[in-house]
Amino acid sequence: MSLATLPGDPDAVAAAGSGYEHIAEAIARSVARLREVTDGSGRGHTVTALAERAEGVADKLGRAKPRYSTTGSALRTYAVALREAQRSAAGAASEQSSRQGSLNTHRYRLENLIDERQTAIMAGDAQHADELRDRIAYETHRVNELDGEVREAEQAYHRAVEYRDAAARTAIEAISPVLEDLKDTFGSVFHAWVDSLPGFLQQIGRWVEAILVPLITAIQEAIATIVSRIGYLITFVSLLVQVLQHLPPEMWLVLLAGVGLILFGGVVGVVLGSLIIGVLGAVVLLLTQSLAADLNQPTPVMTPVNKTPVSRESAEGRGDRYAQVMSDDNDLDELGGADMTVVEVIEVLDENGNRIGWRVILPSTQDWQEAGPIVGNDPTGDKGAMNDWGSNLALMLTPEQQAAYERAVIQAMQKAGVGPDDPVMLCGFSQGGILAGKMAADPNSPFNIQAVFAAGASIDGMKIPDDVAVLSLQHTGDVVPMLDGPLSNSSHRGDNWYTYYEDPPVATDQPHNALLYGDTARKLDGLGDPLVREIMEEQDMFFSQNERSTLYSGAEPR
C-alpha cells in the first residue's frame, strides 16, 4: 500500500491568515478614525448627519473585525499543524516504502527457501534440508520484524492524518461562530432593499416589510427547529445504542434479575422487577440525554494562562515524581474549579535543551451539573468547566465519541507544539486518568502516546495497546475505579501494565483524593515487583531536571 503525500500548502494558509489579520488591523484603524468624526460638539445639521452616518459605518465595521481577526488567527494556527502533519506523514510514508521493499525481498527469499527445502527433503538430502531450516527461521524472523515495522509506519502516517484533521476541526470551530454572527438575515436584506426605494415606493415597502418579514422569519425559525429536533433525535438514538453496548455486564445482570422477578416472582416479583427495570431504563435515558447535550457542545478556545512557558524540574525519586504529578493535578482542579478547565502541558528537555517528549496533566471532574447531589453539592446547570459530569459519561459510555473535554485537551496539546511523532505521557486523577486511558486506547489518536499514569480512575476495561506503559493506582474503598464493572473489570495487570491496589495512607472515609494518592505513590520505590520497576524505568524519559510548563484554560459558554 502506497501512502499519499498530504495535500495542502501551509505557507499559503499562513499567508492568508496573516492577510486576514492585517485586514482586521485596518478595520480597527478605520473604526477609530470614524469615531473621531462623531466626537465633535456644537455642529450644524449637515455635520451631525455626517457624524451619524460615520457612527453607523463604524458600528458595521466594528462587527466585521472579529470575522477577520479570528479567521486569521485560526488559519495561522492551522498552518503550523498542517506543516507538522505533512512532515510527519512524509517521514512515515518514506519509512513505510523502505520497509515494504525490504519486506517483499525477504518474503521472496523465504518462499524460495521453503521450496528449496521441500525439494531437498524429497531428494533425501537431510543435511541440506537442515541447513535450509536455519535460514528459513532467520528469514521468517525478518519477515515478521519488517511486517511490524511497516505497520508502525502506517500507524504513524494515520496519526499524522488525524493530527491534521483535529487541527482543521479546531480552526473550523473557531471560525464558524464569527461567520454565523455576521450572516445577513432575510429581514436585514429586505430592510436594506426597502431603504433603496425612492419616495412613495419606500412607504409601500415599509408596509410590506411589516407583514412579510415576521411571517418569513417565523417560517424559517419553525423549519430550523424541526431540523434541529430531527438531528437531536438521530444523535440521541445513536448514543443510546452506544450506551447500551458499553454498559457494564453487572447492569445487564441486574436487568435480567428484574425480568426474572416479573416472570417467576409472583405479584411481589412483578412489582419489584418492574421497579428495577423502570429505574434502570430511566437512568439510561437520562444518561443518554446528558451525553447528547455534552457532545453537541462546541469546543471552547483554549488559551495559554502563562504567555511564556515556566521553567520547572521534576523530583529526583521516582515515587516523589508521581506524588508531584498528583499535587499538580490537585492544583489544576483548584485553579479551574467548576468554572473553567485548566490543562498543564509540560515539555520535557534534556540537559542540552533538546526535546525528549511531553507530559500532560489532566484535571478531574469539577462541574458536577445535575449529578451534584452524588458528591454533596446542589444540582446546578453547566457552570463552564469541560471536565464535567457529561464528559465523564462520554468517556465511560461512548468512547467512540469525543466530548468537549477531550477536544479541548487535543487543542491545548497542539497549541503547545506537541507533534504527531513526539513521545507523550498522559497523567490524571479520577476523570483525568480516565481521559488519559481513553486517549491512549484510541486507535485514531493524533498523538504518539507512550505512557499513562492514572490514579483513582476506572481504566481497567480499556483496550490500551501493550506498547503503552501504564501505571495505575487504586485505593481500597475507592468506588471510582470500579465504575467500569467491579467484577467484570477487576484491577488490571499485563506485561506493560501495573495496577498498585493499596489501602489509603491514612484512615479515611474519602479514599478518592488526589493528595492521598500522591502519598501512596511515594511507596512505589519500595515495591519489590520487577514489573513496576520496569514500567517506571520506561516512564523515566517523561521526567527531567529541565522542563517547560504551560497552562491552558477554556470554558464552555453559559
Side-chain angles (χ1 to χ4, degrees), residues 35 125 132 150 152 157 169 176 187 203 205 213 281 296 346 384 394 424 432 450 489 504 511:
R35 300 273 189 221
D125 190 348
L132 290 171
V150 168
E152 287 178 5
Y157 178 86
R169 288 191 292 269
S176 296
Q203 296 301 318
V213 169
N296 284 329
I346 302 167
V424 174
Q450 297 185 3
N489 289 308

mmCIF file of all heavy atoms in Angstrom, residues 35 125 132 150 152 157 169 176 187 203 205 213 281 296 346 384 394 424 432 450 489 504 511:
data_model
loop_
_atom_site.group_PDB
_atom_site.id
_atom_site.type_symbol
_atom_site.label_atom_id
_atom_site.label_comp_id
_atom_site.label_asym_id
_atom_site.label_seq_id
_atom_site.Cartn_x
_atom_site.Cartn_y
_atom_site.Cartn_z
ATOM 1 N N ARG A 35 -14.836 57.096 14.481
ATOM 2 C CA ARG A 35 -15.318 57.518 15.806
ATOM 3 C C ARG A 35 -14.903 58.963 16.096
ATOM 4 O O ARG A 35 -15.617 59.689 16.789
ATOM 5 C CB ARG A 35 -14.752 56.608 16.891
ATOM 6 C CG ARG A 35 -15.118 55.146 16.745
ATOM 7 C CD ARG A 35 -16.423 54.812 17.389
ATOM 8 N NE ARG A 35 -16.638 53.380 17.412
ATOM 9 C CZ ARG A 35 -17.805 52.803 17.150
ATOM 10 N NH1 ARG A 35 -18.852 53.549 16.860
ATOM 11 N NH2 ARG A 35 -17.938 51.495 17.184
ATOM 12 N N ASP A 125 18.067 -35.369 0.849
ATOM 13 C CA ASP A 125 19.271 -34.641 1.281
ATOM 14 C C ASP A 125 18.983 -33.978 2.630
ATOM 15 O O ASP A 125 18.666 -32.785 2.717
ATOM 16 C CB ASP A 125 19.644 -33.595 0.220
ATOM 17 C CG ASP A 125 21.018 -32.983 0.487
ATOM 18 O OD1 ASP A 125 21.550 -33.196 1.595
ATOM 19 O OD2 ASP A 125 21.516 -32.261 -0.407
ATOM 20 N N LEU A 132 18.909 -25.455 5.400
ATOM 21 C CA LEU A 132 17.867 -24.553 4.919
ATOM 22 C C LEU A 132 16.868 -24.202 6.031
ATOM 23 O O LEU A 132 16.314 -23.097 6.052
ATOM 24 C CB LEU A 132 17.131 -25.183 3.739
ATOM 25 C CG LEU A 132 17.945 -25.289 2.442
ATOM 26 C CD1 LEU A 132 17.193 -26.118 1.406
ATOM 27 C CD2 LEU A 132 18.238 -23.890 1.886
ATOM 28 N N VAL A 150 6.504 -2.062 9.094
ATOM 29 C CA VAL A 150 5.602 -1.484 8.095
ATOM 30 C C VAL A 150 4.322 -1.006 8.767
ATOM 31 O O VAL A 150 3.815 0.096 8.495
ATOM 32 C CB VAL A 150 5.281 -2.516 6.993
ATOM 33 C CG1 VAL A 150 4.122 -2.027 6.118
ATOM 34 C CG2 VAL A 150 6.505 -2.765 6.131
ATOM 35 N N GLU A 152 3.938 -0.144 11.890
ATOM 36 C CA GLU A 152 4.243 1.028 12.717
ATOM 37 C C GLU A 152 4.304 2.293 11.865
ATOM 38 O O GLU A 152 3.814 3.354 12.263
ATOM 39 C CB GLU A 152 5.571 0.824 13.449
ATOM 40 C CG GLU A 152 5.514 -0.169 14.593
ATOM 41 C CD GLU A 152 6.861 -0.367 15.251
ATOM 42 O OE1 GLU A 152 7.812 0.357 14.871
ATOM 43 O OE2 GLU A 152 6.967 -1.238 16.139
ATOM 44 N N TYR A 157 1.665 7.302 9.962
ATOM 45 C CA TYR A 157 1.051 8.086 8.885
ATOM 46 C C TYR A 157 -0.391 8.452 9.234
ATOM 47 O O TYR A 157 -0.803 9.617 9.107
ATOM 48 C CB TYR A 157 1.085 7.282 7.589
ATOM 49 C CG TYR A 157 0.436 7.981 6.416
ATOM 50 C CD1 TYR A 157 1.156 8.878 5.633
ATOM 51 C CD2 TYR A 157 -0.895 7.751 6.103
ATOM 52 C CE1 TYR A 157 0.565 9.530 4.560
ATOM 53 C CE2 TYR A 157 -1.503 8.404 5.033
ATOM 54 C CZ TYR A 157 -0.772 9.283 4.266
ATOM 55 O OH TYR A 157 -1.358 9.921 3.218
ATOM 56 N N ARG A 169 -10.489 20.736 12.467
ATOM 57 C CA ARG A 169 -11.743 20.868 13.226
ATOM 58 C C ARG A 169 -11.664 22.038 14.197
ATOM 59 O O ARG A 169 -12.640 22.789 14.370
ATOM 60 C CB ARG A 169 -12.044 19.564 13.968
ATOM 61 C CG ARG A 169 -12.497 18.422 13.072
ATOM 62 C CD ARG A 169 -13.035 17.266 13.881
ATOM 63 N NE ARG A 169 -11.999 16.610 14.657
ATOM 64 C CZ ARG A 169 -11.289 15.575 14.220
ATOM 65 N NH1 ARG A 169 -11.497 15.090 12.997
ATOM 66 N NH2 ARG A 169 -10.369 15.001 14.980
ATOM 67 N N SER A 176 -16.386 29.360 12.535
ATOM 68 C CA SER A 176 -17.830 29.273 12.267
ATOM 69 C C SER A 176 -18.672 30.259 13.066
ATOM 70 O O SER A 176 -19.553 30.916 12.499
ATOM 71 C CB SER A 176 -18.320 27.841 12.514
ATOM 72 O OG SER A 176 -17.721 26.954 11.602
ATOM 73 N N GLY A 187 -34.658 39.522 7.052
ATOM 74 C CA GLY A 187 -35.180 40.819 7.458
ATOM 75 C C GLY A 187 -34.226 41.949 7.159
ATOM 76 O O GLY A 187 -34.636 43.010 6.659
ATOM 77 N N GLN A 203 -42.493 53.832 1.175
ATOM 78 C CA GLN A 203 -43.588 53.733 2.130
ATOM 79 C C GLN A 203 -44.348 52.407 1.944
ATOM 80 O O GLN A 203 -44.713 51.736 2.895
ATOM 81 C CB GLN A 203 -44.545 54.922 1.972
ATOM 82 C CG GLN A 203 -43.920 56.266 2.281
ATOM 83 C CD GLN A 203 -43.390 56.324 3.709
ATOM 84 O OE1 GLN A 203 -44.048 55.836 4.637
ATOM 85 N NE2 GLN A 203 -42.214 56.914 3.891
ATOM 86 N N GLY A 205 -43.056 49.786 0.593
ATOM 87 C CA GLY A 205 -42.115 48.751 1.018
ATOM 88 C C GLY A 205 -42.130 48.549 2.521
ATOM 89 O O GLY A 205 -42.041 47.414 3.006
ATOM 90 N N VAL A 213 -41.892 40.229 6.593
ATOM 91 C CA VAL A 213 -40.686 39.813 7.324
ATOM 92 C C VAL A 213 -41.011 38.951 8.540
ATOM 93 O O VAL A 213 -40.403 37.883 8.728
ATOM 94 C CB VAL A 213 -39.845 41.042 7.714
ATOM 95 C CG1 VAL A 213 -38.742 40.642 8.694
ATOM 96 C CG2 VAL A 213 -39.242 41.675 6.472
ATOM 97 N N GLY A 281 -34.035 1.794 33.219
ATOM 98 C CA GLY A 281 -34.386 2.430 31.957
ATOM 99 C C GLY A 281 -34.334 3.948 32.052
ATOM 100 O O GLY A 281 -33.817 4.624 31.156
ATOM 101 N N ASN A 296 -22.835 17.789 21.852
ATOM 102 C CA ASN A 296 -23.207 18.854 20.922
ATOM 103 C C ASN A 296 -22.571 20.191 21.281
ATOM 104 O O ASN A 296 -22.744 21.172 20.550
ATOM 105 C CB ASN A 296 -24.736 19.009 20.886
ATOM 106 C CG ASN A 296 -25.405 17.899 20.088
ATOM 107 O OD1 ASN A 296 -24.827 17.390 19.139
ATOM 108 N ND2 ASN A 296 -26.600 17.512 20.479
ATOM 109 N N ILE A 346 3.567 19.965 29.636
ATOM 110 C CA ILE A 346 4.963 20.125 30.058
ATOM 111 C C ILE A 346 5.885 19.553 28.988
ATOM 112 O O ILE A 346 5.783 18.378 28.621
ATOM 113 C CB ILE A 346 5.214 19.404 31.398
ATOM 114 C CG1 ILE A 346 4.266 19.954 32.477
ATOM 115 C CG2 ILE A 346 6.667 19.551 31.838
ATOM 116 C CD1 ILE A 346 4.225 19.108 33.733
ATOM 117 N N GLY A 384 -19.414 25.785 33.292
ATOM 118 C CA GLY A 384 -18.375 26.211 32.359
ATOM 119 C C GLY A 384 -17.222 25.248 32.177
ATOM 120 O O GLY A 384 -16.640 25.174 31.095
ATOM 121 N N ALA A 394 -19.456 10.495 28.774
ATOM 122 C CA ALA A 394 -18.996 10.218 27.413
ATOM 123 C C ALA A 394 -17.763 9.326 27.419
ATOM 124 O O ALA A 394 -17.638 8.409 26.593
ATOM 125 C CB ALA A 394 -18.700 11.541 26.691
ATOM 126 N N VAL A 424 4.579 11.040 24.200
ATOM 127 C CA VAL A 424 3.680 11.723 25.131
ATOM 128 C C VAL A 424 3.334 10.804 26.294
ATOM 129 O O VAL A 424 3.084 9.608 26.101
ATOM 130 C CB VAL A 424 2.376 12.162 24.428
ATOM 131 C CG1 VAL A 424 1.383 12.747 25.433
ATOM 132 C CG2 VAL A 424 2.670 13.172 23.328
ATOM 133 N N GLY A 432 -9.520 12.745 34.983
ATOM 134 C CA GLY A 432 -8.301 12.988 34.217
ATOM 135 C C GLY A 432 -7.600 11.694 33.849
ATOM 136 O O GLY A 432 -7.090 11.535 32.734
ATOM 137 N N GLN A 450 2.795 7.138 24.683
ATOM 138 C CA GLN A 450 3.641 6.003 25.063
ATOM 139 C C GLN A 450 3.527 5.627 26.532
ATOM 140 O O GLN A 450 4.013 4.566 26.929
ATOM 141 C CB GLN A 450 5.111 6.316 24.741
ATOM 142 C CG GLN A 450 5.387 6.519 23.260
ATOM 143 C CD GLN A 450 6.863 6.700 22.952
ATOM 144 O OE1 GLN A 450 7.725 6.621 23.845
ATOM 145 N NE2 GLN A 450 7.197 6.959 21.699
ATOM 146 N N ASN A 489 -14.405 -6.083 35.351
ATOM 147 C CA ASN A 489 -13.138 -5.397 35.064
ATOM 148 C C ASN A 489 -12.403 -5.118 36.369
ATOM 149 O O ASN A 489 -12.296 -3.976 36.812
ATOM 150 C CB ASN A 489 -13.395 -4.075 34.318
ATOM 151 C CG ASN A 489 -13.850 -4.302 32.895
ATOM 152 O OD1 ASN A 489 -13.203 -5.020 32.142
ATOM 153 N ND2 ASN A 489 -14.972 -3.722 32.529
ATOM 154 N N PRO A 504 -5.577 3.348 51.588
ATOM 155 C CA PRO A 504 -5.154 4.748 51.678
ATOM 156 C C PRO A 504 -4.083 4.907 52.755
ATOM 157 O O PRO A 504 -4.051 4.140 53.725
ATOM 158 C CB PRO A 504 -6.444 5.486 52.053
ATOM 159 C CG PRO A 504 -7.550 4.577 51.631
ATOM 160 C CD PRO A 504 -7.022 3.180 51.799
ATOM 161 N N PRO A 511 -11.383 7.912 50.406
ATOM 162 C CA PRO A 511 -10.140 7.431 49.766
ATOM 163 C C PRO A 511 -9.904 8.010 48.379
ATOM 164 O O PRO A 511 -8.809 7.897 47.840
ATOM 165 C CB PRO A 511 -10.352 5.914 49.700
ATOM 166 C CG PRO A 511 -11.841 5.738 49.655
ATOM 167 C CD PRO A 511 -12.404 6.845 50.504
#
